[in-house]
Amino acid sequence: MKLARNVFKPLAIGAPSPFRELPVRLERMIHFVPPHLEKVRAKVPDLVAQVDVVLGNLEDAIPADAKEAAREGFIAMAKAVDFGTTGLWTRINALNSPWMLDDLIRIVGEVGDKLDVVMLPKVEGVWDIHYLDQLLAQLEARHGLKKPILIHAILETAEGVKNVDAIAAASPRMHGMSLGPADLAASRAMKTTRVGGGHPEYKVLADPGDGGVRAIAQQDLWHYTIAKMVDACAANGIKAFYGPFGDFSDAMACETQFRNAFLLGCAGAWTLHPSQIPIAKRVFSPDPGEVAFARRILDAMPDGSGAVMIDGKMQDDATWKQAKVIVDLARTVAAKDPDLSSLYNL
Ligand code: GLV
Ligand code: MG
């Protein structure tokens, strides 16, 4: 195991030192863009004002014969657009693909100074993170980059889920992790054909009551994995995200999945369709009523200790900490979102 004092040394001579603390960024939605499509790229300058992160997707959903066009389209888009405080990420192809090495070499070489995060698909263990970590350091050194590029892992293989704690702790370059429900379902041999969300046949059936009526409730296929991912991420100071929700026609199911993830500790989700942007914005920005109540807790316990009653509910050091999570998030949202800022009254 590495000595603690060596963890923050650059992995290549001339590469920037890893961050000791992750930059505080609002990342309620990671909006996926297929960069090989010129007409989609043309909309990116408008998109920048609406989303927290723009991600150029090079992996799944990009046809094999468009991989190079997607890579070059991403580079053109990154050069042409001023992203301001909106994050710029890319999802590169998997480590075992014929495209990944050139994805990274071209993109870091051309637009490494604008790139915040590389999303790495199909991460199975620390070895995948260590490889990318080293390669990024070499490329950062070669191109004289001043700011380290972060790594975001997709949790989408059974082996990755088994190793999730070690993956979260693999490098100070780790930004966070997203659930990849489609690949994960395949990897686990789950019998589904969906991208995220529940399944009507995954349910709990109550015992027959007096009239023989039996209540049925659909259960959440992803609860266990999200909870495990959130613990691994929180324990290592990185962020957890719900991934994609593929049924664009079911906004209510999308919102419900996103909200469960938010309540369990996730910071955001992927948006694959413009209709999902307002959903993610609504879900991953704390509710103004909750923010107001959380502020009352903080105000009632200025030093964060003791016990007080508010509206008949007991508050103590632990609820103070919960309130602080909500108010801190509201402040981060307010700094970017003027509409919510006035609702939060911060
Ligand atoms: C995302 O990449 C997924 O496989 O769900
Ligand atoms: Mg996937």
Side-chain angles (χ1 to χ4, degrees):
M1 200 171 118
K2 221 180 216 189
L3 282 174
R5 67 171 168 271
N6 289 332
V7 167
F8 291 98
K9 289 187 180 156
L11 290 177
I13 297 164
S17 297
F19 289 121
R20 288 195 170 248
E21 296 290 340
L22 282 181
V24 178
R25 304 282 300 251
L26 187 61
E27 291 161 337
R28 294 167 296 182
M29 74 296 293
I30 302 163
H31 189 72
F32 272 52
V33 170
H36 58 300
L37 303 177
E38 210 174 325
K39 85 173 194 307
V40 175
R41 283 205 312 270
K43 295 190 185 143
V44 170
D46 291 339
L47 194 64
V48 164
Q50 297 166 39
V51 302
D52 298 335
V53 175
V54 173
L55 177 144
N57 179 29
L58 309 185
E59 200 226 11
D60 291 356
I62 305 299
D65 62 3
K67 292 288 189 187
E68 274 89 8
R71 185 192 295 145
E72 297 307 315
F74 177 75
I75 292 169
M77 173 182 112
K79 283 186 176 165
V81 177
D82 177 0
F83 288 88
T85 58
T86 300
L88 177 64
W89 299 20
T90 184
R91 177 169 79 164
I92 57 172
N93 286 287
L95 292 171
N96 63 358
S97 76
W99 305 290
M100 177 269 165
L101 190 59
D102 289 326
D103 288 346
L104 211 64
I105 290 173
R106 286 280 303 141
I107 287 173
V108 178
E110 292 289 331
V111 291
D113 54 338
K114 290 186 97 171
L115 187 67
D116 296 302
V117 175
V118 169
M119 182 182 273
L120 183 64
K122 302 179 177 58
V123 173
E124 304 215 298
V126 291
W127 48 90
D128 293 331
I129 304 298
H130 291 164
Y131 172 77
L132 181 58
D133 198 5
Q134 183 69 64
L135 199 50
L136 279 169
Q138 288 175 317
L139 291 168
E140 286 166 350
R142 172 184 285 178
H143 298 289
L145 299 188
K146 300 284 174 276
K147 177 173 75 67
I149 297 166
L150 296 175
I151 298 175
H152 183 101
I154 312 182
L155 193 61
E156 54 180 352
T157 67
E159 190 170 7
V161 176
K162 181 171 74 72
N163 292 324
V164 66
D165 294 336
I167 293 168
S171 161
R173 213 189 269 281
M174 284 299 293
H175 161 278
M177 227 178 270
S178 291
L179 171 75
D183 270 302
L184 184 54
S187 167
R188 282 176 173 162
M190 291 166 67
K191 308 302 180 290
T192 56
T193 53
R194 301 171 167 222
V195 178
H199 193 289
E201 295 305 320
Y202 190 71
K203 60 198 178 192
V204 168
L205 179 66
D207 285 355
D210 277 349
V213 180
R214 309 184 70 168
I216 293 177
Q218 190 174 323
Q219 304 293 297
D220 187 349
L221 288 167
W222 304 108
H223 179 267
Y224 148 79
T225 315
I226 292 178
K228 195 170 157 128
M229 173 178 72
V230 166
D231 280 343
C233 289
N236 288 286
I238 67 172
K239 292 159 86 172
F241 292 76
Y242 194 88
F245 187 88
D247 185 351
F248 304 152
S249 70
D250 196 347
M252 200 194 265
C254 175
E255 178 150 352
T256 306
Q257 279 281 291
F258 284 5
R259 184 159 287 111
N260 285 350
F262 175 68
L263 288 169
L264 276 181
C266 288
W270 301 3
T271 50
L272 304 182
H273 187 273
S275 65
Q276 295 180 332
I277 296 171
I279 299 177
K281 198 173 276 192
R282 190 160 57 243
V283 169
F284 292 100
S285 307
D287 173 70
E290 280 284 279
V291 175
F293 189 69
R295 285 190 67 194
R296 286 175 67 198
I297 299 174
L298 298 187
D299 290 347
M301 299 170 63
D303 70 355
S305 72
V308 296
M309 296 298 290
I310 302 181
D311 298 346
K313 301 186 190 83
M314 192 274 294
Q315 312 298 330
D316 68 359
D317 307 44
T319 54
W320 186 91
K321 289 176 196 153
Q322 293 176 55
K324 188 160 177 337
V325 168
I326 291 177
V327 173
D328 284 352
L329 175 59
R331 286 192 199 288
T332 311
V333 172
K336 166 137 187 164
D337 205 319
D339 296 346
L340 280 163
S341 172
S342 51
L343 281 180
Y344 292 155
N345 205 13
L346 285 169

